[in-house]
Structures are given as C-alpha cells and as structure tokens.
Amino acid sequence: MLIRTRKASDVLSNEITSRDVYQQRRDFIIKLSAMTGGLVTGLSPLAAAETTCRNLAFVNSEKPNTFSEITHYNNFYEYSTNKEAIAELAKNLPTRPWTINIEGEVEKPLQIDIDSLLNTNSTVERTYRMRCVEGWSMVIPWQGIPLCNILKKVLPTSNAKYVEFIGKHDPDIFYGQRRNSLQWPYREVLRLDEAMHPLTLLATGLYGNSLPNQNGAPIRLVVPWKYGFKSIKSIVAIRLVEHQPSTSWALASPAEYGFYANVNPDVSHPRWSQRRENRIGEIRKIKTLPFNGYAEEVASLYQGMDLSTFF
Ligand SMILES: Nc1nc2c(c(=O)[nH]1)N[C@H]1C(S)=C(S)[C@@H](COP(=O)(O)O)O[C@H]1N2
Ligand SMILES: [Mo]
C-alpha cells in the first residue's frame, strides 16, 4: 500500500487557485472549526446535539447524472454484486410499512414511521457527488432530511460517541443475504460529530421522486465526503453508542474498508490507486478530490489527525 505522510493543510492547499481564494477558505475553515471543531476538542456530545443544526448554504455546479444512470448502476449487496442487476431484483422490496428506530444512548428514543417523517415537510434538496471506493462516481440530486435535525430530537446522552446505522435484514426479500458475502444486516458507523455535520443527509428521494428501491428505499444515509460504502441503504435502526462498533465491511476486509473512509486521492486502496475516478457517463477519468471536494466543509472535523494513514 502506498502511503505518503501528509498534513491536513497540504490537502487543502492542493486545491488553491489564488492567494485570495486560499485566504477566504482559511477564514471559512477557521470559522467552521470554531463552530464544529469543539466536538473534537472537548465540547460534550450532549452540548453538540443541543446546538441548532446549521443549514449549510451549498451549491454544486456539476451536471447531475441522469435518472437512468443513477438507477441502473448500483451497489446493493443484499441483492447481488452485479450492479446492472439491482434495478430489476430490487423491485420486490416492500417499503411500507417501514419504521426507523432511533435508540441507545438517547434520552428520548424515537420510533418514526416513514410516512410521518415524509409529511413533516422538512426535506431539503442536495446535489452531491458520490464516490465509490471501487473508482467510479456520480452526481446525484437527492432530497432528504439532514440527520442532525433528527438526532437533536432524541437528545443524545453524554455517553453517545458514535452513531450506528443498521440496514434491513430479511433473506426472504434480499436474495444476497442468503449468502455470506457480508455479515448481515449491513451496518455502518459515524462518529457523533460526523453524523451531526450539516452535509450528512438521510435521503428519502432523488430527482423529486421517492427514493427508488435500488438506491436504498425508503431511507438511506448519504455522507458525501466519504467513500460510498459508508452511505448505508434501507435503514431500520439508528443507534447511539459509547464504544466504536465494527461495520460489515470492516469485518469483511479491514485493510480495504477503513472506519473513516474519507475520500483521499493520496491514499491508495491496497489494490488500486484512488487518484482518479470514472464519472459514469463520461469518457475520460477525472481527478479525485480530497474529501471528495468537500474539504472546506469537513476538514475541520479531522484537525490534528494524520490523514495519510486513514482510509
Ligand atoms: N445496505 C447497503 N447499503 C449500501 C451498499 C450495500 O451493498 N448495501 N453499498 C454501498 C456502496 S459500496 C455504494 S458505492 C453505494 C451506492 O449507492 P447507489 O447505488 O445509490 O449509487 O451504496 C452503499 N450503501
Ligand atoms: Mo461503493
């Protein structure tokens, strides 16, 4: 594995085009870390959850992938490892009734019915890049609810340090769960401050339609600065916990699926470089950006950490 020693500041300066832009970004990052960095440096998680969720003004000028591309090239191991087969196989997914349990280290556990969640009218539009660890990417116009808005309702206790997401488990529906390609159900984990970050979305739709089954209906996580496998589909439980749980992919191959999995062109996957990516629908490969292009928004979460060793 190719690892170069690198500082967070190098990652940021990599993108600069002029001194002015650099300075603006620095100011922005410093402001942001004043707001969120406290999570890393000692502010209690409870205090974090009590903060009003910031609504990050956010624009993406890239052309989104077509609806057909987004819905016909998918990773959803509960069904199959064949990306082109998921659209057809996932037609059998029953998405109603569907409840999501939010539990664990919280003062007010919550059981939410998907329809009442959708009726709260609190959905936002977010067009995000999605970068798979395998080396392909898309631009997807999601609708969803910032996870922060839901987490603040359950009042995380001061023990809550991580947020664990659990996917649906039903081998009668998910043919892939009859095999042990992964340990089922699919599980993913974020640090509490990553989960509270305004970019972190619970997606409930795309292109203005309810979320297609193959994209993780009726509700899935989207963490745009991390490799796609962190963005778990078809979630049935969100559990706040004190100790870092393992994840389905880490159990399968810890060297290939790190806990942080922040998109980083400078840290190669054990079997391939992560410098470039194949944007679905485009012929030439494009450069992969640190934090998938979201460094300004999220780099402060990892201040003081050696990013070169995290994958
Ligand atoms: N439950 C579940 N979630 C999952 C996966 C999966 O197999 N099962 N695959 C992940 C991977 S590897 C990627 S790249 C993205 C793909 O999302 P998309 O098909 O909507 O583009 O979903 C992620 N979420
Ligand atoms: Mo992926």
Side-chain angles (χ1 to χ4, degrees):
M1 180 153 51
L2 249 176
I3 294 179
R4 289 202 294 123
T5 313
R6 213 151 195 263
K7 296 193 303 286
S9 54
D10 295 330
V11 175
L12 297 169
S13 60
N14 220 12
E15 285 191 305
I16 63 167
T17 44
S18 75
R19 250 192 84 101
D20 277 359
V21 173
Y22 181 66
Q23 195 51 48
Q24 279 167 19
R25 289 185 180 177
R26 293 290 307 170
D27 292 349
F28 183 55
I29 289 157
I30 289 160
K31 256 188 264 159
L32 259 187
S33 43
M35 288 189 273
T36 61
L39 295 179
V40 185
T41 57
L43 193 72
S44 89
L46 180 59
E50 281 169 350
T51 341
T52 318
C53 296
R54 284 178 299 131
N55 191 10
L56 207 64
F58 184 74
V59 248
N60 187 337
S61 52
E62 282 166 286
K63 189 166 139 268
N65 281 89
T66 65
F67 186 76
S68 168
E69 285 165 343
I70 296 167
T71 55
H72 288 85
Y73 191 83
N74 302 101
N75 271 333
F76 204 165
Y77 276 46
E78 281 85 338
Y79 282 109
S80 167
T81 54
N82 176 351
K83 296 185 212 328
E84 277 96 2
I86 307 294
E88 185 61 31
L89 293 172
K91 282 184 175 159
N92 77 345
L93 178 62
T95 59
R96 296 295 187 285
W98 191 284
T99 48
I100 306 114
N101 286 301
I102 307 179
E103 57 199 28
E105 289 291 348
V106 297
E107 276 167 30
K108 294 187 175 169
L110 195 63
Q111 191 172 58
I112 317 180
D113 172 69
I114 186 71
D115 289 313
S116 44
L117 184 67
L118 292 171
N119 286 337
T120 54
N121 266 341
S122 53
T123 52
V124 297
E125 307 258 340
R126 295 282 174 80
T127 298
Y128 285 154
R129 286 177 289 277
M130 158 87 78
R131 169 56 157 90
C132 176
V133 73
E134 297 163 338
W136 56 269
S137 68
M138 295 204 203
V139 177
I140 307 182
W142 304 105
Q143 289 81 49
I145 298 154
L147 178 61
C148 176
N149 290 335
I150 293 178
L151 291 182
K152 73 174 182 195
K153 287 200 183 113
V154 296
L155 299 178
T157 71
S158 58
N159 289 332
K161 306 263 161 43
Y162 295 92
V163 184
E164 182 180 27
F165 302 84
I166 295 146
K168 185 182 175 69
H169 190 207
D170 187 344
D172 289 340
I173 297 163
F174 290 140
Y175 316 102
Q177 287 184 339
R178 298 175 203 170
R179 290 186 298 273
N180 292 330
S181 47
L182 289 174
Q183 283 192 28
W184 306 111
Y186 198 101
R187 286 158 199 270
E188 258 309 332
V189 178
L190 295 176
R191 232 169 44 189
L192 181 60
D193 59 338
E194 297 176 319
M196 295 290 292
H197 192 278
L199 286 181
T200 305
L201 191 70
L202 281 177
T204 54
L206 69 85
Y207 266 118
N209 302 293
S210 56
L211 197 60
N213 289 356
Q214 58 267 44
N215 297 94
I219 185 163
R220 61 94 58 86
L221 183 70
V222 182
V223 195
W225 70 93
K226 293 180 180 281
Y227 289 116
F229 66 88
K230 298 291 287 185
S231 293
I232 174 176
K233 298 178 171 183
S234 304
I235 295 169
V236 295
I238 299 176
R239 202 170 287 153
L240 286 90
V241 295
E242 180 168 9
H243 302 289
Q244 187 184 317
S246 196
T247 66
S248 297
W249 284 108
L251 290 167
S253 180
E256 302 196 7
Y257 306 98
F259 173 77
Y260 283 95
N262 292 323
V263 174
N264 187 346
D266 293 323
V267 178
S268 298
H269 180 279
R271 292 182 280 140
W272 55 81
S273 160
Q274 294 289 26
R275 292 225 161 271
R276 295 180 170 274
E277 65 199 51
N278 171 27
R279 175 69 51 83
I280 301 302
E282 289 178 21
I283 295 162
R284 286 217 193 109
K285 288 201 169 192
I286 58 174
K287 271 190 177 172
T288 288
L289 301 173
F291 297 105
N292 204 21
Y294 301 95
E296 289 149 63
E297 290 87 358
V298 302
S300 64
L301 294 174
Y302 310 101
Q303 251 169 17
M305 293 171 72
D306 181 2
L307 296 171
S308 67
T309 60
F310 290 117
F311 166 63

